[in-house]
Amino acid sequence: MHTVERADFDLIASWVKPNERVLDLGCGDGSLLKRLIEERGAFGYGIEREEAGVLAAIAQGINVIQGDLEQGLAGFDDGTFNHVVLSRTLQTVRHTERLLTEMLRVGREAVVSFPNFAYWKNRVAVMNGRMPVSEDLPYEWFNTPNLRFFTLLDFEALCAKMQLVIRERQVLDEAGRLVVARPNFLGSLAVYRLGR
Amino acid sequence: MISVGLVLPQQAHFSAPLVLKSGALLPGFDLVYETYGTLNAAKSNAILVCHALSGHHHVAGYYADQNDSIGWWDNIIGPGRPLDTDRFFIVGVNNLGGCHGSTGPASVNPATGKHWGADFPVVTVEDWVATQARLADALGIDAWAAVIGGSLGGMQALQWTLSFPERVRHSLVIAAAAKLSAENIAFNEIARQAILSDPDFHGGNYYAHGVRPLNGLRLARMLGHITYLSDDQMAEKFGRRQRPGAGSYSFEVEFEIESYLRYQGDKFAGLFDANTYLRMTRALDYFDPALAYDGQLAAALAPAQASFLVIAFSTDWRFAPFRSREIVHALVHNGQSVAYAESNCAHGHDSFLMDDAYYHAVVAAYLQRITL
């Protein structure tokens, strides 16, 4: 759970309209949902596995549902949500394709952010013989929850294979500034809006 | 954090006749109840605690004249406890048909001057909620800040939001389900058969014979008790440990688990009324708010205006977590407010009575958010 304000939250918030229903997967303490509710007038639910996150979210008055994303989203009806958000969590999920499929089953739009392994500083770290540690990949190799290491190009190839439509892509550097040129090299964090 | 301390039960009489869901008419009834904490001037801080199969109104604190009289859910109620009596006014009530002071099968039927016995009607969760609402009226409580219950009590907490949507702000449904499974009903049926087939049952009119179907009630409780525990917990607590002198190749108590079940059965049979047990299990069986909506739970829950906290326990196989998630998903389908937590407390269905740190923290965090 990040405690610092997440740069991708600004983008995600800008995509949510009043009264829209949002499902935040891996919602932690519910900070994003709280912001979407208070600033955007959204109505939201979060799913969180860890007890500390669930407790903190309940204390914030968030509709948090304790559960494990690896079990899928069984029980949630098709098309229940306007947006299903997966912020900096896709890289920790084992069943990647199944989760993306599930997100676009229960939601009309999937919002996915993830750290770009091809960010130039990460490339430099590997060139120098070490696994990267950065703002968006803040763990050491031996304690990282991340299971998947992939790049913008890798992700877009998967979207093409799964026939997911990329509606919008925004790429940020480590300071949270928008990156326009050479995103797979200069971007540390990618945020996508996906549809069918 | 301390207990609420000394408490006293109170009695309320309701003289207006009550038509039950079965169509039976009750000419009037008494409810025995207890309260803890202070009702605020706005009467906005009241929490109703609904009891399960064998519970009653004595939820917290203790009685001056009785040792070993701690309320059945004392660990969650008191100053600084999750149901904080510094903030909330807590009401515990013995349900209609009970055997702890509220009108029930052992009470005297005013029409005959004899015990109700077999003539006492079958009561339902809806009936209990209706009678609890009369108690709320008597206490001047227009709307509960929260209604909370575990197991059968959780069903009442859910039914409150459907029977009186405008009178419940929050519903805490713990270790419960929106309806019993065939397996659940099967266990209840065996428990009832144990009572009904006891020669001392006398068709339910055993009071007149000066006896009680103790053996049947004892068996019913032994069976029920198994379903309230988890396999792991029984293995840990008893395993295959034997009693001293075991190995007699007889049917005496050989294993610790047998001794435990017999003790629990005897203790319960000494305190509880078999006719009440029959009715409580039937109320469980009948509860199914989705029945009138072609089995669509979401449609059944749509009238609720309350926010929900649903809690389940991973070791509970009587009302397993997926039964609680059915309620959660129906509420999400409707766009209703709900939080759901799942505790790993090891005590099976009985976990809802345990002082589990995470479970209690969830309840405390949720209730602290309630504005008064």
Side-chain angles (χ1 to χ4, degrees):
Chain A
M1 214 185 331
H2 292 248
T3 47
V4 292
E5 185 68 2
R6 293 180 177 184
D8 54 333
F9 284 9
D10 291 332
L11 281 170
I12 296 169
S14 73
W15 293 337
V16 173
K17 297 184 195 72
N19 298 319
E20 285 192 326
R21 281 204 209 171
V22 181
L23 179 65
D24 185 7
L25 304 178
C27 70
D29 66 0
S31 296
L32 173 62
L33 281 168
K34 194 170 181 347
R35 197 169 152 186
L36 298 179
I37 293 161
E38 288 175 358
E39 291 179 18
R40 309 298 298 175
F43 188 79
Y45 300 89
I47 296 182
E48 173 59 32
R49 182 181 57 190
E50 302 299 328
E51 290 185 353
V54 173
L55 256 182
I58 286 176
Q60 295 211 68
I62 297 296
N63 288 321
V64 61
I65 295 161
Q66 190 164 10
D68 185 351
L69 300 180
E70 299 287 7
Q71 309 296 322
L73 300 173
F76 291 95
D77 293 327
D78 296 359
T80 304
F81 301 97
N82 298 95
H83 311 271
V84 180
V85 178
L86 189 65
S87 171
R88 303 191 199 218
T89 303
L90 187 64
Q91 74 279 5
T92 70
V93 172
R94 180 172 298 277
H95 301 102
T96 312
E97 287 180 73
R98 187 174 78 184
L99 185 57
L100 288 169
T101 302
E102 279 285 87
M103 288 173 74
L104 282 168
R105 177 181 68 80
V106 305
R108 278 162 245 171
E109 179 174 280
V111 176
V112 178
S113 72
F114 58 85
N116 175 28
F117 200 73
Y119 178 49
W120 71 270
K121 282 190 185 172
N122 299 340
R123 298 187 194 203
V124 168
V126 174
M127 288 284 281
N128 287 327
R130 298 293 302 270
M131 286 298 282
V133 177
S134 69
E135 178 69 31
D136 294 311
L137 283 170
Y139 299 96
E140 298 281 357
W141 67 273
F142 51 83
N143 64 10
T144 181
N146 298 335
L147 297 172
R148 311 280 186 206
F149 298 92
F150 53 101
T151 71
L152 272 64
L153 292 178
D154 291 328
F155 182 71
E156 289 172 18
L158 177 65
C159 290
K161 173 183 170 266
M162 294 179 66
Q163 295 180 302
L164 307 182
V165 177
I166 297 172
R167 292 180 181 165
E168 187 170 345
R169 180 190 73 191
Q170 297 290 349
V171 182
L172 304 169
D173 66 14
E174 272 188 282
R177 289 177 300 238
L178 282 176
V179 173
V180 179
R182 306 182 68 196
N184 202 39
F185 186 72
L186 297 176
S188 175
L189 187 76
V191 196
Y192 286 80
R193 305 172 70 177
L194 308 173
R196 280 282 184 197
Chain B
M1 291 190 286
I2 51 166
S3 161
V4 295
L6 284 176
V7 296
L8 281 173
Q10 301 174 73
Q11 188 108 358
H13 179 70
F14 302 91
S15 51
L18 177 73
V19 179
L20 300 172
K21 194 184 177 192
S22 65
L25 183 86
L26 211 56
F29 59 93
D30 286 357
L31 292 180
V32 62
Y33 66 100
E34 289 182 7
T35 71
Y36 324 109
T38 309
L39 188 61
N40 64 12
K43 300 188 174 180
S44 62
N45 68 333
I47 296 179
L48 175 66
V49 178
C50 302
H51 69 74
L53 190 59
S54 60
H56 43 66
H57 56 287
H58 182 42
V59 187
Y62 51 89
Y63 298 140
D65 54 347
Q66 288 174 39
N67 295 326
D68 195 26
S69 66
I70 296 278
W72 58 268
W73 213 2
D74 186 82
N75 63 23
I76 206 168
I77 296 169
R81 288 184 180 169
L83 273 68
D84 189 346
T85 48
D86 287 339
R87 249 191 114 213
F88 293 107
F89 175 68
I90 319 276
V91 179
V93 57
N94 183 213
N95 282 341
L96 184 71
C99 54
H100 292 88
S102 293
T103 299
S107 306
V108 172
N109 180 353
T112 64
K114 296 177 182 164
H115 295 285
W116 277 96
D119 292 337
F120 195 86
V122 169
V123 289
T124 63
V125 170
E126 292 92 325
D127 295 330
W128 287 333
V129 169
T131 56
Q132 290 159 1
R134 289 207 189 171
L135 180 62
D137 295 340
L139 295 171
I141 296 162
D142 290 336
W144 299 101
V147 179
I148 179 172
S151 190
L152 180 54
M155 292 173 168
Q156 293 160 62
L158 184 60
Q159 184 59 43
W160 255 100
T161 69
L162 309 178
S163 293
F164 301 100
E166 69 292 348
R167 298 189 74 174
V168 194
R169 291 163 57 208
H170 296 271
S171 173
L172 283 73
V173 180
I174 303 169
K179 62 171 185 249
L180 291 198
S181 66
E183 185 187 60
N184 292 149
I185 296 171
F187 280 119
N188 284 347
E189 169 58 5
I190 296 171
R192 282 191 294 270
Q193 283 300 324
I195 293 168
L196 296 170
S197 62
D198 186 321
D200 287 338
F201 183 64
H202 295 288
N205 294 314
Y206 44 86
Y207 315 101
H209 294 78
V211 293
R212 298 168 59 215
L214 291 176
N215 266 317
L217 187 55
R218 180 169 167 268
L219 276 176
R221 182 59 172 179
M222 287 169 78
L223 174 72
H225 214 87
I226 298 170
T227 70
Y228 306 147
L229 305 178
S230 71
D231 193 22
D232 284 352
Q233 183 206 5
M234 280 175 101
E236 188 184 323
K237 198 168 172 182
F238 308 104
R240 293 184 52 82
R241 268 202 325 282
Q242 295 188 310
R243 301 279 294 166
S248 63
Y249 292 91
S250 73
F251 301 108
E252 296 306 310
V253 173
E254 294 271 302
F255 293 91
E256 288 287 359
I257 182 65
E258 296 175 296
S259 166
Y260 174 78
L261 285 178
R262 289 188 189 197
Y263 169 76
Q264 291 292 340
D266 287 339
K267 188 171 98 173
F268 186 76
L271 296 170
F272 211 81
D273 185 66
N275 275 322
T276 290
Y277 202 84
L278 292 175
R279 281 157 184 77
M280 294 279 171
T281 58
R282 250 315 180 225
L284 272 163
D285 294 354
Y286 279 132
F287 184 66
D288 183 8
L291 184 65
Y293 296 85
D294 287 335
Q296 301 298 309
L297 184 59
L301 301 188
Q305 296 173 22
S307 297
F308 289 83
L309 173 63
V310 179
I311 299 176
F313 300 94
S314 56
T315 57
D316 181 356
W317 58 276
R318 183 89 191 233
F319 293 145
F322 81 90
R323 309 300 315 282
S324 286
R325 284 196 292 264
E326 289 171 358
I327 299 171
V328 172
H329 288 132
L331 293 168
V332 172
H333 174 93
N334 293 339
Q336 291 162 296
S337 284
V338 58
Y340 171 69
E342 202 171 300
S343 157
N344 292 318
C345 184
H347 292 264
H349 186 56
D350 268 352
S351 293
F352 83 88
L353 297 168
M354 300 299 159
D355 188 8
D356 175 67
Y358 174 60
Y359 155 46
H360 275 199
V362 165
V363 174
Y366 186 87
L367 291 179
Q368 275 161 14
R369 289 279 308 176
I370 295 182
T371 52
L372 301 179

